[in-house]
Amino acid sequence: MSNKNSTKELREIFLSLKTGIKALKSGMVVLEKGLSKLEKDILNINKEALEKLHKMISKEFEALKFVEEKEESVEIKIEKIEIEPEMEEKTEVSKPAEIESAEEIKIGFYNKTLGKLYDRLHREFSDLYTVLKRAEKTKIGEVDKGEVICRVCNMGPCKVVEGVEELKGICGADASLVFARNFARLVAAGVSAQADYAKSIVETLNDIVKGEIPFKFRDKRKLKMFAYALGINLEKSEEEILNEVVDKISKIFFQQKGELILAHRAPKTLIEKWRKYEVMPRGIDREITELIYRTSLGVDQYYKNILFASLRCALADGWGASMIATELQDILLGTPQPVRAQVNIGKEVIREDMVNVVVCEEDPLVAEALIQASKDLEILKLAKKAGAKGVNLVGLGCAGNEILMRKGFPVAGSFAYQEAVIATGAVEAIVGRLIPNVVQIANRFHTAVITTNPISLMEGAICVEFNRKYPLKSAKEILKIAVSRYSKRDSTRIYIPDEAIETVSGFSAEALMYVMGGRFRAGLSILNENIINGKILGIALISGCDQFGANENVQVELAKELISNNVLVFSTGCSAIKLGMAGLLVPEASQLAGEGLREVLEAIGCPPVLNMGSCVSNSRVLTVLTEMVNTGGLGKDICELPVIICLPQWVNEKALSTIMCFVSSGLQVVFDPGNLIVENKKTNKFLFEEVEKYFGGSIRFAKTANEFSGIIIDRIKQKRKELGIDQLRPRIFYDMAMRRTLDEKRYISSIHKSGFFEILENRSIN
Ligand code: SF4
């Protein structure tokens, strides 16, 4: 009886709590609406109102903001790198033919926004060399099939031709060796980019732990989950756990022996394969330096051995550097959750009445500080004085995708939009890691080009060194430069095509588990079940960059073809932004999906293309795939899943390390090699066929959307057949013994273990 009573009481308490939380939530909605109305009114009026707004915004940001920076006397280093005059003594070269008019630019545009803005640039500034003009005039041209160039030593460069003895390199290197060396160096460069990025986040966290950076980390649940993966005792205090995480991770980069601990997160079968074929990575830096050394003349002269080393180095990226960067960013700034935001250029994205600052900055702390500084009273006053209503931050490219994922900030476009966004005539500053040609475009407008790190300077740009100990002050210096440019803006030259579109982004692995399984049973069993029953044919990740001047919008055509064939699409990097611009990142796009996929998507209210973040977030894909294997029903290893990876366009070397990491993790990767390869029979045989025998992954080449989709659907069907889920299975009636076996096998996701769930509960209520 008393038990019954206490259950009843508990039930009542629970229901009251639930009602209370609901009321709190609706109160928050009303408060937010009121706040945005107030913002509109206040920005037009007087000082008191401005201060009132500041107070309200400060309160809103209290939980997120940098702690007050006390030492105001600190100087933020600002340096303008002047463009050096051309040397008087010029090298005699045959100049490319002049382009007389815009009509002569033959490169087409995959979308009308870019078309309109480049058309403007080419018509108004016929003497200006945009990237598109350079792409037509500067490229050396195709390397003949079977030819590779080697520059490894000073006896060369050598042009080496496949299968022609007299056209080996001076040292005797054949085409397969030269290709393997060139390829390995690109992979090492890609891994080093992700490693350096990850290190900067480790440093930030380290400085926060020491109290040197005035910032509080946000995601306690993620901290615990990551600590668990590192084998840290979770009984310790949060501070101790954080200290230990930073300590352990810092050592991973320089570890010389043993195994990369995060690689142990992979399925057991895969770990055994890595051990057997000796590609289990050690420390991240160790793999990078060794790979570069091995490609020197006189060291590793066997192409297969070099390619194996590339696979090992790439694993140190996906399961090491990229995973560290992703996890630590989540701990620091919060794990992304689905959020609505606009992408592409539009009047709500680039604001005519505000100081527009385009953020293309990889360092998450810079973006975070800029967000806070844009609400600072001093900056708001300056903006108001200059005649603007405030400062509007807009993301761009992969880095923009990170801000979008966490904050719902608009993203003006992909990597290929760097020049076009300036051509709107309404951008006061573009901040971050940019292509050098941007300076020339910016000089025709009033835009300041700003870099924030002394390792990425550029002639004609201003470097505002981001001082991590004074993030807010550094960010304010950047915004002051932007605000000072507002008065130089020529309002008659503003041209903002209004083509922005809404997206839903923020599908981290955790978010996906909540979307698929609900709050109290977050997991991927629904995903697996629907793959097994055939409603979802399989999964394709569309990753990679955006090429300037590409004619076919390959990613978009491909995604449409795939979802109509019931393939669920994951996406990262600039590809995700392109898919967003095509309207595929909203739940309404499920109408374009095949019947089975649509049924699942409509039940859970999910878009058919899931934006999982920047290219560093490819590690989220590895986490999801491992979780799918652990959930059960689809084999014991990643290579058994009906999943495929594709990179229709790539620009940066990081793409090559991504490709090799997925291959060695057991997945087929389809990509457009561009001018990289090569009709090299030996290396192609290795990458297309042999490597599959070791790890289950392989490489395929494709150029058009049709070629990509053909390969992808065939591969997914092949995997379904191997799993025996290509046909409807007869219904099985379970007896008790069979049910007990099922119970024994039940998998509990780590998201539910060791008190993580309780932490999440606390976080949500607070
Ligand atoms: S390493 Fe061999 S192939 Fe390469 S540049 Fe030197 S001599 Fe030529």
Side-chain angles (χ1 to χ4, degrees):
M1 193 68 187
S2 65
N3 268 349
K4 258 189 189 175
N5 278 345
S6 54
T7 313
K8 202 179 160 200
E9 272 170 32
L10 269 174
R11 191 179 148 76
E12 272 169 13
I13 293 170
F14 175 73
L15 287 174
S16 320
L17 263 175
K18 208 172 156 191
T19 320
I21 290 168
K22 265 189 187 171
L24 208 61
K25 273 186 186 165
S26 64
M28 284 297 287
V29 173
V30 175
L31 204 64
E32 269 171 27
K33 276 186 189 161
L35 195 68
S36 58
K37 186 181 175 301
L38 198 61
E39 183 177 1
K40 276 184 197 151
D41 296 345
I42 286 169
L43 286 172
N44 281 324
I45 47 174
N46 55 37
K47 194 168 163 258
E48 294 93 46
L50 202 60
E51 270 162 14
K52 199 173 167 189
L53 170 67
H54 175 245
K55 266 188 200 160
M56 291 194 69
I57 290 171
S58 301
K59 202 169 177 188
E60 187 196 354
F61 273 75
E62 209 156 22
L64 321 177
K65 78 186 221 181
F66 296 97
V67 181
E68 197 72 26
E69 295 160 12
K70 291 203 174 71
E71 288 176 55
E72 287 299 322
S73 59
V74 67
E75 283 259 330
I76 303 297
K77 202 172 152 199
I78 302 175
E79 187 184 3
K80 169 93 197 271
I81 315 294
E82 297 295 345
I83 299 178
E84 289 178 23
E86 291 293 330
M87 306 288 269
E88 271 179 30
E89 202 179 304
K90 289 199 173 165
T91 318
E92 285 295 320
V93 285
S94 51
K95 277 182 85 176
E98 289 297 323
I99 294 172
E100 298 289 337
S101 66
E103 282 74 27
E104 281 191 46
I105 309 286
K106 294 184 196 73
I107 292 176
F109 304 99
Y110 63 78
N111 81 23
K112 56 182 180 179
T113 321
L114 272 183
K116 284 176 185 173
L117 288 160
Y118 269 107
D119 195 45
R120 174 196 194 164
L121 284 173
H122 294 148
R123 282 183 195 288
E124 285 186 25
F125 310 104
S126 58
D127 61 326
L128 182 68
Y129 267 89
T130 61
V131 170
L132 292 193
K133 275 191 185 179
R134 292 191 190 283
E136 289 215 330
K137 295 292 164 194
T138 313
K139 238 175 173 174
I140 298 172
E142 306 275 323
V143 177
D144 286 343
K145 279 185 176 176
E147 262 181 29
V148 268
I149 309 288
C150 182
R151 294 177 191 278
V152 156
C153 84
N154 203 28
M155 290 195 285
C158 298
K159 190 190 264 188
V160 179
V161 180
E162 166 92 24
V164 183
E165 182 59 34
E166 56 274 38
L167 289 176
K168 281 184 174 171
I170 295 171
C171 66
D174 69 1
S176 53
L177 174 57
V178 172
F179 167 74
R181 286 199 296 223
N182 291 349
F183 190 72
R185 287 187 169 208
L186 290 169
V187 171
V191 184
S192 74
Q194 301 293 35
D196 219 52
Y197 178 53
K199 273 182 210 163
S200 71
I201 300 166
V202 178
E203 273 170 33
T204 301
L205 217 56
N206 191 30
D207 291 346
I208 290 173
V209 167
K210 285 190 205 149
E212 289 175 5
I213 294 185
F215 191 79
K216 282 182 183 153
F217 74 94
R218 299 218 178 108
D219 198 332
K220 295 174 181 180
R221 174 175 62 94
K222 193 69 180 252
L223 171 68
K224 253 194 158 183
M225 284 181 70
F226 194 48
Y228 177 73
L230 295 171
I232 294 168
N233 176 5
L234 300 181
E235 299 301 314
K236 296 179 178 176
S237 73
E238 235 162 50
E239 211 179 3
E240 285 170 322
I241 293 176
L242 187 63
N243 261 310
E244 217 173 308
V245 164
V246 170
D247 188 51
K248 275 208 165 189
I249 288 297
S250 306
K251 286 177 185 153
I252 284 181
F253 291 96
F254 312 107
Q255 181 185 321
Q256 298 301 311
K257 288 180 181 171
E259 297 182 346
L260 182 76
I261 189 167
L262 290 172
H264 295 167
R265 284 178 137 185
K268 282 193 177 62
T269 326
L270 185 55
I271 296 173
E272 287 313 317
K273 287 178 192 166
W274 292 339
R275 285 179 181 145
K276 184 173 175 191
Y277 298 108
E278 297 177 5
V279 296
M280 175 61 90
R282 296 155 291 180
I284 300 165
D285 284 7
R286 171 80 204 253
E287 298 305 342
I288 298 168
T289 48
E290 186 182 292
L291 186 56
I292 292 173
Y293 171 59
R294 283 166 88 130
T295 58
S296 301
L297 180 60
V299 188
D300 198 344
Q301 311 298 342
Y302 183 33
Y303 77 94
K304 263 190 211 178
N305 213 29
I306 295 172
L307 292 175
F308 261 109
S310 306
L311 291 165
R312 187 182 199 173
C313 191
L315 285 173
D317 172 2
W319 297 89
S322 287
M323 194 168 275
I324 291 170
T326 304
E327 302 288 83
L328 294 189
Q329 279 187 124
D330 286 354
I331 292 170
L332 198 60
L333 307 168
T335 304
Q337 297 292 326
V339 60
R340 283 190 185 268
Q342 295 207 347
V343 295
N344 208 354
I345 289 171
K347 294 198 189 296
E348 291 293 312
V349 175
I350 309 282
R351 297 279 302 268
E352 279 193 48
D353 51 1
M354 293 179 93
V355 174
N356 291 301
V357 179
V358 176
V359 185
C360 194
E361 173 58 64
E362 281 195 337
D363 188 334
L365 210 64
V366 177
E368 195 72 19
L370 282 170
I371 291 169
Q372 200 175 314
S374 70
K375 314 282 176 188
D376 184 89
L377 184 59
E378 185 190 356
I379 297 297
L380 284 171
K381 275 181 184 169
L382 283 174
K384 182 87 183 146
K385 202 172 160 194
K389 286 186 174 174
V391 175
N392 178 44
L393 298 178
V394 187
L396 193 80
C398 229
N401 205 359
E402 279 293 316
I403 321 176
L404 180 147
M405 291 275 287
R406 290 198 176 80
K407 303 276 177 194
F409 265 66
V411 171
S414 65
F415 170 80
Y417 269 60
Q418 293 183 38
E419 296 182 327
V421 75
I422 297 173
T424 59
V427 169
E428 277 59 50
I430 182 161
V431 185
R433 305 203 181 167
L434 305 155
I435 54 166
N437 214 51
V438 158
V439 171
Q440 310 196 32
I441 314 296
N443 285 345
R444 302 299 171 106
F445 294 88
H446 65 295
T447 312
V449 179
I450 300 174
T451 62
T452 62
N453 191 324
I455 70 160
S456 53
L457 300 183
M458 185 159 48
E459 275 184 57
I462 303 163
C463 179
V464 180
E465 189 175 340
F466 188 77
N467 187 333
R468 291 173 170 274
K469 289 176 188 160
Y470 302 95
L472 200 52
K473 195 164 168 58
S474 308
K476 278 162 74 176
E477 292 303 330
I478 293 170
L479 295 188
K480 280 178 193 170
I481 296 173
V483 172
S484 73
R485 298 293 174 112
Y486 187 79
S487 55
K488 295 181 185 145
R489 185 196 278 190
D490 180 349
S491 57
T492 62
R493 292 180 68 206
I494 292 177
Y495 173 52
I496 306 173
D498 202 8
E499 279 149 20
I501 186 167
E502 193 167 80
T503 64
V504 175
S505 297
F507 289 91
S508 56
E510 292 81 351
L512 189 63
M513 285 191 235
Y514 281 110
V515 168
M516 290 283 171
R519 194 169 174 207
F520 295 101
R521 55 186 172 95
L524 296 180
S525 51
I526 286 185
L527 179 63
N528 283 18
E529 277 163 24
N530 282 291
I531 290 176
I532 294 166
N533 69 25
K535 283 185 181 156
I536 298 176
L537 191 69
I539 297 172
L541 167 71
I542 303 182
S543 183
C545 323
D546 188 12
Q547 280 273 20
F548 281 96
N551 273 321
E552 192 194 8
N553 203 353
V554 193
Q555 289 95 331
V556 174
E557 299 312 315
L558 173 60
K560 284 182 181 167
E561 177 79 16
L562 292 176
I563 61 176
S564 70
N565 279 286
N566 294 314
V567 175
L568 178 65
V569 173
F570 291 170
S571 193
T572 54
C574 283
S575 285
I577 296 169
K578 288 180 80 172
L579 296 174
M581 287 193 238
L584 297 176
L585 297 189
V586 284
E588 295 73 22
S590 59
Q591 288 163 5
L592 303 173
E595 202 182 327
L597 178 63
R598 189 169 66 233
E599 200 182 303
V600 179
L601 295 172
E602 284 175 353
I604 55 175
C606 206
V609 178
L610 306 176
N611 180 4
M612 300 183 93
S614 63
C615 51
V616 90
S617 295
N618 281 323
S619 66
R620 295 192 198 279
V621 180
L622 294 171
T623 308
V624 169
L625 300 183
T626 304
E627 188 68 20
M628 283 174 74
V629 172
N630 292 340
T631 301
L634 292 172
K636 288 195 161 61
D637 196 352
I638 290 177
C639 67
E640 293 183 63
L641 299 170
V643 173
I644 188 161
I645 309 296
C646 56
L647 286 88
Q649 290 170 345
W650 68 276
V651 174
N652 196 297
E653 303 106 330
K654 286 186 276 187
L656 297 179
S657 80
T658 300
I659 289 169
M660 292 299 263
C661 174
F662 278 124
V663 168
S664 48
S665 299
L667 294 155
Q668 188 166 83
V669 181
V670 202
F671 76 107
D672 180 350
N675 283 331
L676 176 71
I677 310 187
V678 84
E679 290 288 311
N680 189 294
K681 294 188 184 78
K682 285 199 277 184
T683 47
N684 282 11
K685 191 171 183 322
F686 179 83
L687 294 170
F688 276 58
E689 295 166 24
E690 207 176 323
V691 74
E692 183 145 14
K693 291 182 204 143
Y694 305 121
F695 309 108
S698 57
I699 276 176
R700 291 289 180 275
F701 297 150
K703 271 199 183 301
T704 63
N706 269 345
E707 287 169 8
F708 272 100
S709 63
I711 295 170
I712 290 167
I713 291 171
D714 284 353
R715 177 71 170 189
I716 288 176
K717 285 186 175 168
Q718 177 206 333
K719 287 289 155 190
R720 293 186 67 87
K721 197 170 179 185
E722 287 168 11
L723 284 166
I725 55 168
D726 55 327
Q727 279 163 4
L728 278 181
R729 279 186 291 181
R731 191 172 164 191
I732 298 170
F733 292 94
Y734 280 80
D735 58 22
M736 269 325 281
M738 287 163 87
R739 280 183 197 160
R740 271 188 215 112
T741 349
L742 281 180
D743 278 350
E744 279 162 24
K745 282 183 192 163
R746 190 175 292 160
Y747 166 71
I748 300 169
S749 165
S750 61
I751 207 166
H752 293 294
K753 283 184 198 161
S754 308
F756 302 146
F757 196 63
E758 288 153 36
I759 295 169
L760 177 77
E761 289 296 286
N762 292 338
R763 198 179 65 137
S764 315
I765 292 165
N766 289 339

